[in-house]
Amino acid sequence: MPEHLLLPNPRPLQSRRSSPAGGGSPNRPRGQHGTHLRQQLQTARAPRQLNAGVDPDLVFKIKAGSRPEDSSFEGRGLQVLGESTDYTYFVLASDQGASLEQAIERYVRTGELRTFFNQIDDIEPYGPSDRTGPGVADLDGSTSGQHTVDVLIWPSGTYGEAQRRTSIVEQIVGQNGGRVLLRSVSARRSYLRVSVSSAGLDDLLNTSVVELARTPPVPFLDFRDWRDLDISTISRSEVASEVVGVLDDSPESAHPLLRGLVVSDESLGPPTYPWQQRGTHGTEVVGRVLFPALHEELRDALPISAIGSVRVVRILEPDPARPDGAPRFATYAPPHVLVEEAIRHLHGTHGVRIFNLSIGYAEPFNDLHLGPLTETIDDLVRELGLVVVLPTGNAPADLSARTPSGHHIIADKPDFFFAHEHRLSEPGPAALAVTVGALALSGAPAELPGRVGWQAAADADEAAPFSRTGPGLGTNSRRANKPDVTHYGGNLVVSDTGNVVHNDLGASLISTSTRGSGGQIFATVNGTSYAAPAVARVAADIAYAYPDASGNLVRALLAAGSAPTPPAAALAELHRRNRVYGLGLPDVDRATTSDARRVTMTYDGEMPVDTVQIHPLPIPEAFRQGSRRDRVVSIALAFDPPVRRQRREYLAGTMKFNVYRDIDPDELAEILKRQDPDDPADLINDRRKLNLQPGVNTFTHSTLQLRSWVGRNSFVNDDETFLIAVTHKAQTWARNDPTYEHQGYALAATLEDRELATADLHQTLRQQLRLPSRVRLRA
């Protein structure tokens, strides 16, 4: 696979400024466009035949070019049920779309409502294919037997409406001779498990209040495939990559799968320090660093692949006061001293650049009293050019499956994620570190005899209920700065009696066990402690692919290689999604390689503080031509300013960027020079500025940013070079600091067109940039 290309050198501009996001709607001829919408609506209103004879409502999929106000839908007889990332809205029409058709007629005749309808691209029915979830297509519809399916009902807004919608589904099930096996009803999340005939299933797939029907989820990995494995039956291959420094409890280096991969395991404590006997945490964390594909390999009976190696410094030990609880910091020094000594040792002695610290306090962090551990980590990242990966921390759930805020981990999703009690714990707020939340890999408990009604708290790829959430430090109430990304960290299960189960064999992750040298090889694990090392592995693979990359570039590529999982994308409000999922799930291939349809260009350098730099961004004609397909321009930015925990503005400087088209670089430079740095209104706010999402102010307090623009129609008449304007602004307290005159930063700019059929973006850009292939030299 081709490596990434280099962005052309930037143009420095000595001017302070700031600029918000913006954008406009296309100006379409209303007659032709209105006729198109009317025809689409008539097709979408085609009558349905339901055997049960209930539920006359319709659901439409309305695709928009940008975000309309919810009130715009409500005024057309439509209730918004959900919104996807590409501005597709799912709306319920209780009058089968009659009010919407009348509004379209007014638009065609008079031009009224054009602000709303000019944004609308398509109107389609939300039909059986949309409601057909995993497993349903594989059911045999010709049989007269019963099928067991899970039915998810659209979010309802109120409990009374949820009850009404649930009763519609129950009526259809009953009229088809079926029965309800499980029932969970709330305003946000209503769910039924039903046994129903093939005819009844067809009716459910045509029922407006049904969002999705699927067969009950099964564990990602059957515990029988791993629990009793003998090491003699397992083969291990080794793949070279960057070493990861792990600060944790001491791992079981004699484990047959870890043997030779723990390059060093040291303690920097006094020789007389009475260490507790090794616990399980270090071995389990190291296993997640070294075996990123373990679950897939065990499921598919493949050889186990070990990626890279680790160097360990022991800073944790079991807590004798809580033998079943989380490990504690060694008591011979304060936590921030333990961490600083270990990082400096591994970096200075062994050249380690990537670190995993699966550590965290038990309580949410306090904005007013940020601790020295968080600040120490940020200082080390900047001083030494490191990448440090941290977990968000784990929020507890009591025996009755309730969080500290009183929410139920199934019935009250996703509300509890936004409670103060669920906010991330230190050192997760570290602004220059990569902070990781947890996803569920498996959305189902183990399949065991006698279990009826047991349910995983999170669906597959959904945020795990214990994963703490953002935002991090900052003053903007809608900021998105933590977590940075998410990865798999396990899941919880609720039994039929309503009790929480922490280490279910089907819903949990597995990793290497401390008993591996003479007993069971693997153990079940759950927690953000096990999501962080998976991201550390991705960061190390990026550093190995690009050995000259700064820590900023590694982080930028990590962001560029991240994408939201489907449950994350379903959380429509971006600031809420970012607080739970960050920028998404990182993927090594997306982060390290380009191909014919997706190309990343990078910049790794610095700029004077309080200035702007303009980066040319080549956009080939093959990417700009054609219509009715999505072209994505994504920009990731990472930088590492100084920090001061005693300051309200924790970061010494902020950075942001916008992308412009159809403007001469000299003209853009002159406009930017006139920009008042204290005026949030951008002097360019028309189509020349790409409407990147999220908006520019979302990341005011973030040192890792990812924003994207989607172009659906041809823009071949645009200039072949867009311009990225990167702005730095120093805080008042840092403006006269002689040690802070330049700011290092990195960009990763990605062009992606998965439907491009006749051109090779990578080859085209390589020729356009006239860059030789990169050469990696290794000792």
Side-chain angles (χ1 to χ4, degrees):
M1 299 288 286
E3 291 186 323
H4 299 326
L5 302 171
L6 299 179
L7 279 169
N9 288 330
R11 168 178 177 169
L13 180 64
Q14 304 294 325
S15 170
R16 289 191 200 138
R17 59 173 295 281
S18 61
S19 55
S25 303
N27 186 18
R28 297 184 170 109
R30 67 175 187 268
Q32 181 180 359
H33 183 57
T35 301
H36 167 70
L37 293 180
R38 183 169 51 200
Q39 291 171 344
Q40 287 188 313
L41 177 61
Q42 291 170 349
T43 301
R45 293 175 64 194
R48 301 163 297 153
Q49 296 294 325
L50 271 71
N51 295 327
V54 297
D55 186 43
D57 300 342
L58 292 174
V59 175
F60 301 131
K61 294 183 296 183
I62 296 182
K63 180 173 282 192
S66 58
R67 173 176 288 163
E69 296 292 334
D70 283 359
S71 59
S72 300
F73 291 107
E74 294 161 4
R76 319 291 165 245
L78 306 172
Q79 179 184 351
V80 177
L81 299 172
E83 174 191 349
S84 71
T85 53
D86 62 351
Y87 298 121
T88 296
Y89 292 80
F90 308 102
V91 295
L92 178 70
S94 298
D95 62 359
Q96 297 193 348
S99 298
L100 178 60
E101 186 169 36
Q102 293 171 7
I104 293 175
E105 292 291 346
R106 287 173 56 198
Y107 167 65
V108 172
R109 289 197 321 270
T110 68
E112 294 181 58
L113 314 175
R114 58 181 173 271
T115 301
F116 173 66
F117 285 114
N118 276 354
Q119 297 177 82
I120 304 303
D121 293 328
D122 296 296
I123 303 174
E124 300 176 15
Y126 187 89
S129 62
D130 300 293
R131 297 186 178 94
T132 299
V136 170
D138 298 327
L139 298 176
D140 187 355
S142 64
T143 64
S144 58
Q146 299 290 99
H147 304 297
T148 299
V149 295
D150 289 350
V151 180
L152 184 64
I153 296 171
W154 287 106
S156 304
T158 66
Y159 181 72
E161 176 62 13
Q163 288 277 38
R164 186 190 74 82
R165 295 181 183 181
T166 302
S167 68
I168 292 175
V169 174
E170 292 174 329
Q171 182 180 354
I172 292 174
V173 171
Q175 290 179 352
N176 281 279
R179 60 193 180 97
V180 176
L181 305 177
L182 291 175
R183 187 179 193 270
S184 175
V185 180
S186 67
R188 282 189 170 272
R189 189 179 296 269
S190 295
Y191 153 94
L192 297 174
R193 178 167 292 172
V194 302
S195 176
V196 70
S197 65
S198 295
L201 178 57
D202 287 343
D203 278 352
L204 290 175
L205 295 176
N206 276 288
T207 299
S208 65
V209 299
V210 173
E211 179 181 357
L212 188 77
R214 59 159 298 159
T215 55
V218 298
F220 183 88
L221 177 64
D222 192 315
F223 70 93
R224 300 171 188 86
D225 292 338
W226 62 265
R227 190 170 61 169
D228 297 321
L229 277 177
D230 189 301
I231 189 61
S232 64
T233 66
I234 298 177
S235 61
R236 186 191 82 181
S237 64
E238 297 181 20
V239 179
S241 188
E242 189 86 2
V243 67
V244 174
V246 176
L247 278 56
D248 212 284
D249 197 355
S250 182
E252 179 56 77
S253 302
H255 189 291
L257 287 178
L258 299 182
R259 194 173 293 126
L261 301 179
V262 182
V263 181
S264 60
D265 180 8
E266 303 171 87
S267 165
L268 305 181
T272 58
Y273 181 75
W275 286 98
Q276 298 293 315
Q277 187 175 357
R278 175 195 293 120
T280 64
H281 195 262
T283 302
E284 295 160 351
V285 165
V286 163
R288 287 288 289 148
V289 175
L290 294 172
F291 303 105
L294 179 63
H295 296 80
E296 293 84 351
E297 290 164 346
L298 289 173
R299 182 190 60 186
D300 300 333
L302 298 173
I304 305 301
S305 302
I307 313 295
S309 58
V310 297
R311 290 187 179 274
V312 180
V313 171
R314 190 181 193 191
I315 64 169
L316 301 181
E317 62 182 356
D319 187 345
R322 299 187 307 152
D324 296 327
R328 71 180 185 184
F329 287 97
T331 59
Y332 67 82
H336 68 282
V337 174
L338 294 172
V339 167
E340 181 169 7
E341 289 180 344
I343 287 179
R344 288 192 183 279
H345 170 71
L346 288 178
H347 179 72
T349 305
H350 304 293
V352 176
R353 298 187 294 159
I354 313 297
F355 288 85
N356 182 81
L357 281 65
S358 288
I359 58 177
Y361 296 160
E363 65 282 338
F365 84 96
N366 187 324
D367 300 75
L368 299 177
H369 304 289
L370 190 71
L373 176 58
T374 300
E375 184 182 39
T376 296
I377 290 171
D378 279 334
D379 284 344
L380 291 169
V381 169
R382 174 174 169 81
E383 177 190 346
L384 304 178
L386 309 175
V387 176
V388 174
V389 182
L390 304 168
T392 59
N394 300 320
D398 64 18
L399 184 62
S400 65
R402 294 197 173 272
T403 68
S405 58
H407 292 92
H408 190 273
I409 60 174
I410 294 179
D412 296 328
K413 289 187 297 185
D415 290 353
F416 60 81
F417 287 119
F418 306 106
H420 174 80
E421 294 86 348
H422 230 80
R423 197 175 182 189
L424 72 163
S425 61
E426 291 199 64
L432 278 58
V434 177
T435 305
V436 185
L439 302 173
L441 176 64
S442 174
E447 298 175 317
L448 289 168
R451 281 191 176 184
V452 178
W454 287 45
Q455 189 177 353
D459 295 331
D461 291 328
E462 190 174 39
F466 47 76
S467 183
R468 289 189 176 275
T469 55
L473 291 159
T475 56
N476 179 353
S477 63
R478 296 174 72 87
R479 65 189 178 277
N481 53 0
K482 293 292 173 180
D484 295 285
V485 294
T486 47
H487 214 292
Y488 297 113
N491 203 350
L492 300 180
V493 166
V494 178
S495 71
D496 57 339
T497 61
N499 293 336
V500 71
V501 179
H502 288 277
N503 277 294
D504 179 83
L505 292 171
S508 303
L509 289 182
I510 64 168
S511 189
T512 44
S513 166
T514 52
R515 301 186 299 275
S517 58
Q520 190 170 302
I521 301 170
F522 302 112
T524 56
V525 298
N526 286 293
T528 54
S529 283
Y530 308 106
V535 173
R537 177 74 272 145
V538 177
D541 290 346
I542 296 171
Y544 184 77
Y546 295 91
D548 298 328
S550 68
N552 284 329
L553 182 54
V554 172
R555 287 197 295 142
L557 289 172
L558 184 76
S562 298
T565 58
L571 198 56
E573 295 178 87
L574 284 174
H575 74 282
R576 287 166 64 87
R577 181 195 309 165
N578 288 333
R579 290 187 182 187
V580 179
Y581 294 96
L583 303 176
L585 174 67
D587 176 82
V588 171
D589 288 338
R590 283 175 58 88
T592 58
T593 60
S594 296
D595 58 33
R597 296 177 176 84
R598 184 179 185 276
V599 178
T600 297
M601 295 164 278
T602 65
Y603 171 80
D604 196 358
E606 64 177 20
M607 64 191 295
V609 300
D610 282 326
T611 62
V612 180
Q613 289 204 143
I614 300 175
H615 294 261
L617 176 63
I619 309 290
E621 183 177 358
F623 184 81
R624 292 180 283 118
Q625 67 185 0
S627 60
R628 314 306 296 177
R629 71 178 196 269
D630 289 353
R631 273 69 57 87
V632 181
V633 178
S634 297
I635 312 293
L637 165 72
F639 66 107
D640 55 354
V643 300
R644 293 292 183 274
R645 68 187 181 91
Q646 72 270 28
R647 297 286 186 172
R648 178 176 182 267
E649 295 87 2
Y650 179 65
L651 303 178
T654 60
M655 293 187 73
K656 56 188 176 182
F657 61 87
N658 275 310
V659 178
Y660 300 91
R661 61 181 173 182
D662 290 339
I663 186 168
D664 183 80
D666 293 332
E667 180 185 358
L668 178 61
E670 289 302 316
I671 293 174
L672 296 181
K673 286 178 181 178
R674 297 197 305 270
Q675 179 71 50
D676 182 348
D678 298 317
D679 185 354
D682 197 343
L683 294 177
I684 301 177
N685 208 18
D686 51 34
R687 73 171 299 278
R688 292 178 296 173
K689 184 177 72 174
L690 267 62
N691 185 21
L692 298 172
Q693 294 295 324
V696 70
N697 292 325
T698 301
F699 292 111
T700 301
H701 302 282
S702 179
T703 69
L704 183 60
Q705 308 173 16
L706 178 66
R707 302 173 62 214
S708 301
W709 172 77
V710 179
R712 293 187 177 89
N713 297 317
S714 172
F715 48 101
V716 69
N717 292 325
D718 285 350
D719 288 343
E720 64 178 12
T721 301
F722 288 10
L723 302 172
I724 308 171
V726 180
T727 302
H728 179 273
K729 180 180 179 181
Q731 299 292 356
T732 302
W733 64 265
R735 192 154 285 165
N736 297 316
D737 185 347
T739 67
Y740 188 41
E741 296 181 347
H742 291 83
Q743 176 60 66
Y745 72 102
L747 292 174
T750 301
L751 309 183
E752 183 170 11
D753 183 352
R754 286 298 164 195
E755 298 179 57
L756 185 64
T758 59
D760 185 324
L761 278 182
H762 187 273
Q763 185 64 25
T764 300
L765 282 167
R766 184 182 172 198
Q767 293 174 351
Q768 186 170 340
L769 293 169
R770 297 183 178 89
L771 291 176
S773 298
R774 295 181 61 135
V775 178
R776 284 179 286 174
L777 301 178
R778 297 211 167 271

